[in-house]
Amino acid sequence: MKTCNFVNGEIIAVGDEILRGDTLDTNSNYLLKKLFSLGVRVSYLSAVGDNREDISNALKKAMERSEYIFLSGGLGPTEDDITKETLAEVLGLKIKADEKLIEHLKKYYESLGRKLYYSALKQTYVIEGSKILNNSVGLAPGELIETDNNKIFILPGPPKEFKAIVEENFSNYINTKFFIEKRSLNCILLGEASTEKHIRKLNLTDENCQINTYAKSSHTEVDIICYGKNQNELKEKADNIYLKLRKEFKGYYFSDDENPSQALVRMLKENDYTISFAESMTGGLLVSQITSVSGASKVLKESFITYSDDAKIKILGVSAESIKNYKVVSPQVAKEMAYGLKNISHSDICVSVTGEAGPNPSVGKVGEVYIGIIYKDKFYDYCLNLLGNRKEIQRNSVDQILAYLIKILGGSDAN
């Protein structure tokens, strides 16, 4: 889809430990969200090792294509901390000791009763002409260097120090005069390709607004991003697009601040409905998704794990003849389980599931799942043929059942 005309930013994470996989780069994830809120769209994100040539090459490329550049890591006292020196070399600038930073470092070591080694003074050197960004929780400061075409930030790698400098300084030094408004919703059962097709036909995007889809395990996330200088207009535009998408996907979506379990519990509460479950192959996994949500006790009436044939017969009243004639993994048994549950619980919604999770088939094909749902005295039946290992089949079955329930309660044609 069309791309917005963002102010471009680029993040370069420095450190051999990142490239080895020993350290997870949480700083970049945090910074991406922060910059987005400040009107900066990060177009490039990379990691380089503690190598002068690699850092230099990454910097030179970034300076050609990005207005805002953010380097993290490599500001410490050791020999392999060379980010600052490399940046100064690329810019043709000198580094020098800052008296205030030296004094702060001395007082810090005195307070600990420790000897100040010469190597530690490396953290007091700054690039000439830079703005020093105070590190309130550590020793190595951040810096901002401005050139004709770039604003370059260098930040220490430890996450606590990194975040403190960002929170205390960025709103003062990053003023793009642009705003970003984001709205999101989550679509179920359609798949990413079909969801995107529905969006495209509505023709809602332009040069300052984009709609992106992202496939998740149980749904498709849809993000609306509007970008410009008039925040009120952007809010109105984003809201209008959001409402149009809600109308387009009626019965097939839930809001972005919920997961499927939370959405289902909310919808049950809003309608003052109760729900009960009879599980076989999922072994309680389905009801556990409901009980994980605060307030589930207001909607969940009861649940049964009828794993064996005897349990299905004794608790739910499933006919032994049906199990013999159709197999326990069958739509007939799923239906009898649902109606048996209805007779016991008298819940507004009754859900049953039976299937073959594998890895070795017992009575059915591995991945074969049958679901029964009773809602407003109407019976809905579903058949799944899933791939994967045992846990994946069980997990995917639960995801699909939650999606079917959201769809039914959302007022869409359930079949």
Side-chain angles (χ1 to χ4, degrees):
M1 293 186 178
K2 297 177 182 178
T3 303
C4 301
N5 184 27
F6 285 95
V7 172
N8 280 329
E10 182 160 351
I11 298 173
I12 303 171
V14 180
D16 287 340
E17 68 277 13
I18 295 175
L19 295 180
R20 290 195 303 265
D22 293 336
T23 298
L24 184 64
D25 179 22
T26 58
N27 288 340
S28 292
N29 181 267
Y30 160 79
L31 185 56
L32 286 165
K33 296 175 183 177
K34 184 68 176 180
L35 294 175
F36 189 87
S37 71
L38 293 171
V40 178
R41 177 182 183 269
V42 174
S43 300
Y44 303 96
L45 169 61
S46 61
V48 296
D50 298 304
N51 178 281
R52 191 178 299 271
E53 183 179 357
D54 291 342
I55 298 171
S56 177
N57 289 337
L59 270 168
K60 289 175 182 178
K61 184 174 290 186
M63 291 172 67
E64 292 174 357
R65 63 192 182 187
S66 302
E67 180 179 349
Y68 285 87
I69 301 167
F70 306 87
L71 292 101
S72 65
L75 302 186
T78 63
E79 288 186 1
D80 64 351
D81 291 313
I82 56 174
T83 300
K84 184 187 309 176
E85 292 81 357
T86 306
L87 174 59
E89 184 179 285
V90 170
L91 297 176
L93 299 173
K94 296 179 180 179
I95 59 173
K96 60 180 182 179
D98 182 270
E99 293 300 325
K100 290 183 179 180
L101 293 175
I102 292 174
E103 189 63 27
H104 173 70
L105 190 67
K106 287 180 177 178
K107 289 181 179 179
Y108 173 79
Y109 273 83
E110 286 174 2
S111 69
L112 297 177
R114 290 163 52 185
K115 180 180 179 180
L116 175 59
Y117 289 96
Y118 178 78
S119 60
L121 291 171
K122 183 179 180 181
Q123 296 171 101
T124 68
Y125 280 74
V126 296
I127 297 174
E128 62 178 351
S130 71
K131 293 182 176 68
I132 297 175
L133 308 179
N134 179 53
N135 185 344
S136 61
V137 296
L139 297 177
E143 295 180 58
L144 166 60
I145 303 94
E146 296 189 55
T147 69
D148 291 340
N149 300 312
N150 309 107
K151 291 184 178 180
I152 306 172
F153 293 80
I154 53 176
L155 303 160
K160 184 178 179 180
E161 300 179 34
F162 180 94
K163 291 180 181 179
I165 293 176
V166 170
E167 291 298 329
E168 293 172 16
N169 294 277
F170 273 33
S171 59
N172 296 324
Y173 293 111
I174 299 178
N175 183 13
T176 65
K177 297 181 180 179
F178 282 88
F179 298 95
I180 298 175
E181 287 293 325
K182 179 181 176 182
R183 306 288 185 272
S184 299
L185 56 83
N186 298 309
C187 292
I188 55 171
L189 298 175
L190 298 175
E192 185 180 14
S194 178
T195 300
E196 202 268 348
K197 184 178 180 181
H198 278 266
I199 295 170
R200 189 183 296 277
K201 76 175 184 179
L202 297 176
N203 195 28
L204 298 173
T205 61
D206 57 36
E207 62 180 3
N208 292 318
C209 182
Q210 65 186 41
I211 303 175
N212 298 321
T213 59
Y214 305 96
K216 305 292 183 177
S217 60
S218 61
H219 60 273
T220 300
E221 179 183 330
V222 179
D223 290 342
I224 305 158
I225 301 171
C226 296
Y227 184 78
K229 294 186 176 181
N230 189 315
Q231 190 171 26
N232 289 331
E233 288 183 1
L234 290 176
K235 286 182 177 180
E236 183 179 354
K237 187 174 187 177
D239 287 340
N240 286 336
I241 294 174
Y242 179 71
L243 290 173
K244 289 178 180 178
L245 289 181
R246 285 182 56 176
K247 183 178 179 181
E248 177 69 18
F249 294 112
K250 181 182 178 182
Y252 288 89
Y253 80 91
F254 59 93
S255 61
D256 69 309
D257 59 349
E258 300 175 307
N259 61 38
S261 304
Q262 292 168 332
L264 177 59
V265 170
R266 172 184 55 77
M267 296 171 82
L268 290 168
K269 285 181 180 179
E270 289 173 351
N271 290 280
D272 197 26
Y273 287 154
T274 57
I275 192 168
S276 292
F277 299 94
E279 299 181 63
S280 182
M281 58 88 72
T282 50
L285 183 60
L286 177 56
V287 73
S288 72
Q289 299 305 299
I290 305 304
T291 58
S292 70
V293 180
S294 177
S297 59
K298 294 182 179 180
V299 298
L300 178 60
K301 199 166 185 182
E302 53 191 327
S303 180
F304 300 91
I305 301 173
T306 53
Y307 206 76
S308 67
D309 293 358
D310 284 346
K312 293 179 180 65
I313 295 169
K314 292 178 182 178
I315 297 174
L316 301 175
V318 174
S319 166
E321 195 72 14
S322 296
I323 294 175
K324 179 181 179 181
N325 292 338
Y326 302 112
K327 298 185 305 183
V328 71
V329 178
S330 65
Q332 292 84 0
V333 169
K335 185 174 184 178
E336 290 190 27
M337 288 173 66
Y339 276 103
L341 179 63
K342 180 70 174 178
N343 292 334
I344 296 171
S345 69
H346 304 289
S347 294
D348 298 298
I349 301 174
C350 292
V351 184
S352 67
V353 54
T354 180
E356 184 70 77
N360 299 313
S362 55
V363 295
K365 176 184 173 184
V366 173
E368 183 180 11
V369 182
Y370 294 98
I371 301 156
I373 298 174
I374 299 174
Y375 170 64
K376 289 186 175 180
D377 296 323
K378 182 176 180 181
F379 179 74
Y380 302 93
D381 61 320
Y382 302 94
C383 173
L384 303 177
N385 288 284
L386 302 173
L387 300 176
N389 60 37
R390 184 178 181 84
K391 287 185 177 180
E392 289 169 341
I393 290 171
Q394 290 174 323
R395 176 72 256 183
N396 290 337
S397 296
V398 169
D399 289 342
Q400 287 293 109
I401 293 169
L402 293 174
Y404 290 139
L405 290 167
I406 291 170
K407 180 183 176 185
I408 291 171
L409 289 175
S412 182
D413 178 14
N415 289 307

